[in-house]
Amino acid sequence: MKNVVINFHQSNGKIKPMHAVNNGPVGSGVRGKTGNFSAYQDAYDILKDFSAANGRFVVHCLAGTPDWAEKFLELGAYCGVTGMVTFKKAQNIRDNLKAIPLARLLLETDSPYLAPIPHRGKENHPGYLVHVAAATAAEYDKTTQEIAEITTE
């Protein structure tokens, strides 16, 4: 099975692949302007066909809305959460967690970007993932250890 990793970026109303790498499940990062979900729709349309052909994929650094999380989950997606879950103004990320079953959740660094609070603004690295796990655990009413075990199985 051939798989492609693609990050999508919306610019001037057009969705553009940021990079592609063969030999692995698809990792899709979708970004659009606040309130404009056309990049999500475009990525969904592409991933729907990919999923129908038994493709596996991760929505990397999921932002958007719980509705979009649910749409991608219906296609079989795993959803990645980054240091944004710790940002005060990123309530949408915490809202998305309510739609993501623990069995389909991945914790990500997005290194070197999106370092969690209390390291925001610094270069991110895997050592900070404990902060992502702790914030995620609070949203699921679990311990950090439980989230660590669930997301590394």
Side-chain angles (χ1 to χ4, degrees):
M1 174 173 73
K2 181 178 177 184
N3 294 298
V4 180
V5 177
I6 302 172
N7 274 329
F8 299 97
H9 176 73
Q10 183 179 359
S11 176
N12 299 323
K14 296 180 181 177
I15 192 162
K16 299 177 181 178
M18 292 174 66
H19 68 275
V21 180
N22 291 326
N23 301 323
V26 163
S28 173
V30 184
R31 298 288 179 277
K33 293 181 181 179
T34 302
N36 181 341
F37 296 101
S38 64
Y40 285 83
Q41 185 63 56
D42 290 343
Y44 177 85
D45 292 342
I46 292 166
L47 292 168
K48 185 176 180 181
D49 292 340
F50 180 78
S51 175
N54 296 319
R56 300 174 304 143
F57 67 98
V58 173
V59 179
H60 155 69
C61 193
L62 179 66
T65 66
D67 288 341
W68 277 109
E70 289 173 6
K71 287 180 183 214
F72 288 118
L73 287 162
E74 287 172 5
L75 297 180
Y78 285 78
C79 298
V81 176
T82 65
M84 289 191 303
V85 72
T86 68
F87 299 175
K88 182 178 179 181
K89 293 184 179 181
Q91 184 60 44
N92 65 310
I93 305 301
R94 292 181 291 280
D95 290 344
N96 286 344
L97 290 176
K98 294 172 179 65
I100 304 170
L102 284 169
R104 304 277 280 291
L105 178 69
L106 301 175
L107 302 182
E108 304 180 284
T109 62
D110 198 34
S111 184
Y113 308 107
L114 300 175
I117 302 296
H119 304 288
R120 190 167 184 186
K122 297 178 183 174
E123 185 172 310
N124 201 357
H125 61 78
Y128 295 160
L129 199 59
V130 67
H131 301 291
V132 176
T136 301
E139 295 300 316
Y140 282 103
D141 197 26
K142 300 279 185 195
T143 67
T144 301
Q145 182 62 36
E146 288 173 313
I147 291 297
E149 290 171 4
I150 290 166
T151 58
T152 57
E153 290 179 347

